[in-house]
Amino acid sequence: MTPHRSRPARAALAAALAGCVLVLPTGCGRASDRSADPEPTASSPADVCTSLVSYWVKEALKGSKWAGLDWEQKGMSNEQYEIHDEVLIAARAEEARSGRAAAFALTDRETRRRCEAAKGATGSSENWRPPSEQRVPTSGNRPSPS
């Protein structure tokens, strides 16, 4: 006689086994299968700036409904938003001359160049502080804004 399994337990087991077959066709959980995964790498401030700013410039070029968010809602510093505005102006001009693909390429190039020159452009937001300068309260009281 086989042990009784509830329907949810059988469904979970079936889903787990199906996931192994779909994800790892040579077997489930073998160490050799996982060794092909690349190691995660840390992003530099310039990488983060480039990714963030170029994303939002491209959304503006596409006319996305989210492109109208303000710089804080987009997660940008003041300086990153300034880069955004300057690159967007150049990208719109490029789009008018050479099309959207050319505008996207210009966006990637110019954003990378400007973010690298500004070392990530993170230090200009009034509320932003690098982790080394953040104030951590030692008591239950919150620090007053300065």
Side-chain angles (χ1 to χ4, degrees):
M1 187 161 140
T2 60
H4 175 71
R5 286 195 180 131
S6 68
R7 249 185 248 212
R10 282 193 309 258
L13 178 60
L17 292 175
C20 290
V21 172
L22 293 174
V23 175
L24 301 170
T26 59
C28 187
R30 292 189 349 207
S32 62
D33 294 334
R34 289 189 298 263
S35 65
D37 292 341
E39 288 293 317
T41 57
S43 297
S44 71
D47 291 339
V48 172
C49 174
T50 299
S51 177
L52 184 64
V53 173
S54 66
Y55 172 82
W56 285 113
V57 169
K58 290 174 185 176
E59 288 298 298
L61 289 171
K62 292 187 284 186
S64 163
K65 71 177 185 176
W66 301 109
L69 297 174
D70 69 25
W71 61 274
E72 287 180 304
Q73 292 168 318
K74 292 176 181 176
M76 289 191 255
S77 69
N78 296 337
E79 192 175 2
Q80 289 166 346
Y81 193 62
E82 185 177 323
I83 292 170
H84 169 277
D85 284 349
E86 292 168 357
V87 171
L88 181 57
I89 290 167
R92 283 187 172 144
E94 182 68 13
E95 183 176 32
R97 280 190 304 272
S98 305
R100 182 159 295 162
F104 281 9
L106 178 136
T107 296
D108 291 336
R109 274 191 323 274
E110 273 302 295
T111 302
R112 167 62 61 189
R113 185 183 70 75
R114 291 171 186 244
C115 285
E116 284 178 351
K119 296 180 175 53
T122 58
S124 63
S125 291
E126 294 145 19
N127 299 331
W128 188 89
R129 287 186 175 77
S132 62
E133 295 177 18
Q134 288 183 4
R135 292 181 239 156
V136 179
T138 55
S139 66
N141 300 327
R142 301 178 90 187
S144 61
S146 55

